[in-house]
Structure formats: structure tokens, C-alpha cells
Amino acid sequence: MGELAERLRRELDRYSPGGKLPSSRALVERFRVSPVTVSRALGQLAAEGLVVTRPGAGAFRARPRASAAPAGDTSWQEVALSADGTADLVPRSVDASGVLVSLSAPSPGVIEFNGGYLHPSLQPERAMSAALARAGRRPGAWGRPPMEGLPELREWFARSIGGPGGGVGAAEVLISSGGQSALTTALRALAPPGAPVLVESPTYPGMLAIARAAGLRPVPVPVDADGVRPALLADAFRATAARVFVCQPLFQNPTGAVLAPERRGEVLRIAREAGAFVVEDDFVRRLVHEDAGELPRPLAADDPDGVVVHVSSLTKATSPSFRVSALAARGPVLERLRAIQVVDSFFVPRPMQEAALELVGSPAWPRHLRAISAELKTRRDTMTAALRLELPELALPHVPSGGYHLWLRLPDGTGGTSQAFGSGQEPALMSAALRAGVAITPGRPYFSAESSAGHIRLSFAAVAGAGEIVEGVRRLRTACDEVL
């Protein structure tokens, strides 16, 4: 689509203002592309103000716009946006760059190893469409839902979080609009501006962006193959007097680590003794691989004292646009979470909640989960084998049994490698990879402080299939040869 739009853009001078462009059929035949590609290219030019499309009539070169009014002076905003108000607060920093890496679609022909969601071929599109259609026919489907969410959906999330033993009740669940929104609500509820918040290192860049945008100070606690290190967590609580620790105990992003059984109770005990909350981001429990075995319960299921604020979402297992999630907590904090969510967004639209109920209650839901469990394992194994064959110098310390990505360490100059490749060179590799036709995610945004080595994260869920994975690794080999 981008290439066709550029070619049409260069040819616009052939037409006078208001002149008609060739028909969509003629463009399809001339450029040998699909009608959808033509439609999107014309839409792009229309969005740029270069073309005007008229249904039933065609596309026309836009007429010159009238002279624009002189631009105003917005330089005053630099002062207003940087003013802290109170000297002891941490300045807010709203930086979406770490999130946009996995949200922005690459150019056509570029293999998407940087994606954060399932490829369209893996999404339960038919099941979601059918669920939405059924939801729209439910009585009252377009009315105002309860502020906390539909009772039946809260009950479903409570069962999925607490397990058969019923460790979590529906009254302790709030329905939210996606995991990112739920994390934002949790951090706003638990930490005042200027406060420290303990985070895993490395960790999800979107969470770091949330914290910094709220004026919080992320403090890193190192993670190893068994998850966060309890001794260092206790040290961090003592050193900072923090009251919040954010973690992903299951298939941690980006390392894929699972919090070891012997550490689970330790983490809760340490937080409880510090008078602190643990925000448990259980973001990919439904993207377990076929060979994973029995999963550990959420920390929230083993927490009678209200230490854990749990976040669970349907988005990763469905579609980036199916933004339905849950916050679970017990005790007075639940009312604060509810109040902040109401102030921010009122409620999650009822049709989306009804559609979620229809989806998870349908026979298609367990079939979908089984299908992606098998497919993600195949893709993981394909990428792992390709990397070991083509790029043995990239260290893969852990092969996860859930999630959708691999975390690789770049050569550091030891063991015969002639050139060090630290985190400062990640941008060079990222650029070289794009030139070779593959988009990757640099490791630097996953660290809240300086990292000791360079890393990259590669997703195997956002590509079309195993063949594209093999080709993407081959292209990455080309990029590494250029930069290393």
C-alpha cells in the first residue's frame, strides 16, 4: 500500500486540480495489485489532502487549499508542560516510544518480529464476530452497564483468577478496558506522584511509561531465570520505602521467566512486611504453549491479606481491539481502584462486555486456546532452531513455555568476538534489520536504569507462519553481518 501511494503521489502533477484519476479497476490492472491495496492507497492520499474521493464518482486531484492563517505561537507550552508545581515531585515524562515499537505496523514486505499481538490468522475472528453479533441482540445490550462491570463477566474472571477453590470472589473484581488501562488505574491508586515504585529489571516498557507519566520513580529489581530475586526485592523495599512492586510472575516480559514455587510465598511475605502492594500483571496466561505442563496459580489466588492487585486481560489471546480486562483486589483498595476507574472512563462499553461473555462461554473459546497453544509451540521451536543455526552468537538463556517472544543477549566482545555489541549499538542493529526487511525490538526500553549488555526481543506470534520466521532470521543474519 505504501509503495502504491508513493507512485500515485508522484503522478499527481499529470492531473489538473479537480481532474479525475484513473478508475480503481484501471489502477488494479496497471499496477497488478488488489482492489484493497488501491483503496487504501487512495485513502492515504485523501488523508494527506492530495486527493478527494467521491463515492460512485471516483478519485480526483484535490484543489489547492486557501492560504492558511498564520501559525500561532505555541512555545509557551514547553514551560507549562515541564513545570513540576512542587519541587520534590518527580517530573512527569510521557514517552510512548517503547510502546510504539510493538504497536506500529512495519512497512509492506517487512517481517514483523516486533509485534505484540497475535497475527490475524491466529485471532478468533469468526468467533469474535459471532459473539459480537449475539451480544448486540441481548436485551439491554446498548444500555449502561454496572460501574464495576457485568456480574456474570466479573464471576467468570473471578473463577479464572481464583481457580476451583474460589480464592477470588466476583465482588472483588472490576472490569477494565484492557491491561494497559488496568495497570494505569492500579498505579494511580497505589502510589502518589513522586513516589518510588519497584519494577522487575528488565520489564515491560508500557508499564515504565505509565509510571513515568504519573510522576512515579521506577526502581529496578533484577530478574533471573526463576523470576524476581527475593533478597534484592527486600533490599529495594528497605532502601526506598516503596509501597508498590509491579511484577509478571508468569512468562515475564521480556525474559519469559516463571516465578519459582519457592519464591512465590517469599515475594508476598516481603511485600506484606514492607506494608506494600504487589501488582500482578498476568498478561499471557492464556498464551501457554502445548508443552508447558500445569501452570502455577496466580499470586492473587494465594493471598488472603489483600497484598496483591491482580490484572488479567483477554486481549493478548484474541485481538488488539478486543480490550476487555479485569482488576482483582480485596480490602479498602478496591474502592479506590473503582473510584479512579469511574473518574477516568465511567465504565467499559456494555456491548464489549456482552461480547466477551458470549465469546468465553462459547465452544469456540476452548478450541481457540488449544489451537494457539499448539501453534505458538511450533513457532517458538521454529524460531529457536533457526536462531541456533543462523545466529549462534546471540545468547538465548531461556526458552519459555508460554508467551509470544524470545529474549536474546547480543555479543559483548568476549569469547572470540572481535567487536563489543552493547546496548548503545542496539539502534544500529535495529536500523540494519529494517534495511534487511525485518523489524525487531531493541532491549534498552525494557530497563529502567542502565543495562549491562545489549539485547533484542523477537516475537514469533505476529508473523504469518513458520516460513516467515525462517526467512526473518535469515534477514536478521544479514543485518548482524552488517553491524557486528
Side-chain angles (χ1 to χ4, degrees), residues 56 90 135-136 138 157 240 249 314 345:
V90 177
R138 285 188 171 196
F157 270 110
T240 64
L314 293 176
S345 58

Side-chain angles (χ1 to χ4, degrees), residues 15 35 38 56 96 134 160 178 224 226 247 251 292 317 378 381:
Y15 307 96
V38 170
R134 293 194 301 271
S160 68
D224 63 20
D226 292 323
C247 65
F251 309 133
T378 298
D381 291 346

Side-chain angles (χ1 to χ4, degrees), residues 215-228:
L216 304 178
R217 179 165 55 90
V219 178
V221 183
V223 171
D224 63 20
D226 292 323
V228 69

Side-chain angles (χ1 to χ4, degrees), residues 255-281:
T255 66
V258 176
L259 186 62
E262 62 273 14
R263 294 187 180 183
R264 290 167 55 86
E266 275 288 281
V267 167
L268 294 180
R269 179 189 62 78
I270 290 167
R272 180 69 182 86
E273 291 179 355
F277 291 95
V278 174
V279 178
E280 179 184 26
D281 182 12

Side-chain angles (χ1 to χ4, degrees), residues 9-354:
R9 192 181 291 111
R10 292 197 299 265
E11 294 183 2
L12 282 178
D13 288 339
R14 298 181 183 180
Y15 307 96
S16 59
K20 191 174 186 299
L21 275 65
S23 68
S24 294
R25 178 177 297 179
L27 293 175
V28 167
E29 294 176 354
R30 177 184 170 193
F31 293 105
R32 298 184 181 278
V33 294
S34 71
V36 172
T37 300
V38 170
S39 176
R40 289 179 177 175
L42 291 175
Q44 175 66 34
L45 297 183
E48 296 172 8
L50 302 176
V51 165
V52 175
T53 58
R54 299 172 190 158
F60 303 82
R61 182 181 176 185
R63 298 182 184 279
R65 297 177 180 176
S67 298
D73 180 7
T74 61
S75 58
W76 65 272
Q77 293 184 4
E78 296 183 32
V79 177
L81 292 175
S82 61
D84 299 338
T86 305
D88 60 349
L89 293 185
V90 177
R92 291 188 304 164
S93 173
V94 185
D95 181 5
S97 58
V99 182
L100 289 173
V101 169
S102 59
L103 288 179
S104 302
S107 302
V110 175
I111 293 175
E112 191 173 357
F113 278 178
N114 63 329
Y117 298 100
L118 297 179
H119 187 268
S121 64
L122 297 180
Q123 296 173 17
E125 185 172 328
R126 292 180 61 184
M128 289 189 296
S129 298
L132 193 59
R134 293 194 301 271
R137 295 193 294 269
R138 285 188 171 196
W142 294 93
R144 184 180 65 192
M147 296 296 179
E148 300 84 357
L150 296 179
E152 303 92 335
L153 188 56
R154 296 169 70 196
E155 176 63 34
W156 183 86
F157 270 110
R159 290 195 306 271
S160 68
I161 297 167
V168 176
E172 298 165 334
V173 173
L174 303 174
I175 302 303
S176 301
S177 181
Q180 188 78 354
S181 176
L183 287 171
T184 301
T185 297
L187 287 185
R188 285 189 59 198
L190 301 176
V197 56
L198 305 187
V199 301
E200 295 172 316
S201 181
T203 192
Y204 165 53
M207 192 278 299
L208 295 176
I210 291 170
R212 289 168 177 149
L216 304 178
R217 179 165 55 90
V219 178
V221 183
V223 171
D224 63 20
D226 292 323
V228 69
R229 296 167 62 182
L232 295 180
L233 178 64
D235 290 344
F237 273 126
R238 283 192 294 268
T240 64
R243 292 295 179 264
V244 182
F245 169 51
V246 186
C247 65
Q248 295 173 325
L250 187 67
F251 309 133
Q252 196 258 359
N253 183 9
T255 66
V258 176
L259 186 62
E262 62 273 14
R263 294 187 180 183
R264 290 167 55 86
E266 275 288 281
V267 167
L268 294 180
R269 179 189 62 78
I270 290 167
R272 180 69 182 86
E273 291 179 355
F277 291 95
V278 174
V279 178
E280 179 184 26
D281 182 12
D282 201 15
F283 72 116
V284 285
R285 180 168 292 270
R286 296 173 183 87
L287 294 188
V288 60
H289 301 170
E290 196 174 44
D291 60 349
E294 185 177 357
L295 298 184
R297 285 152 48 104
L299 294 179
D302 300 318
D303 168 42
D305 299 326
V307 172
V308 177
V309 173
H310 180 93
V311 176
S312 176
S313 176
L314 293 176
T315 304
K316 290 294 186 185
T318 55
S319 158
S321 291
F322 203 86
R323 306 202 65 76
V324 178
S325 64
L327 274 164
R330 53 169 53 97
V333 72
L334 184 63
E335 181 54 35
R336 182 179 290 189
L337 291 166
R338 176 185 179 275
I340 288 177
Q341 182 165 286
V342 168
V343 168
D344 282 350
S345 58
F346 291 175
F347 47 77
V348 176
R350 183 162 189 153
M352 186 60 75
Q353 294 192 53
E354 298 279 8

Side-chain angles (χ1 to χ4, degrees), residues 422-434:
S423 60
Q425 291 176 283
E426 289 172 8
L429 179 58
M430 189 176 176
S431 298
L434 281 176

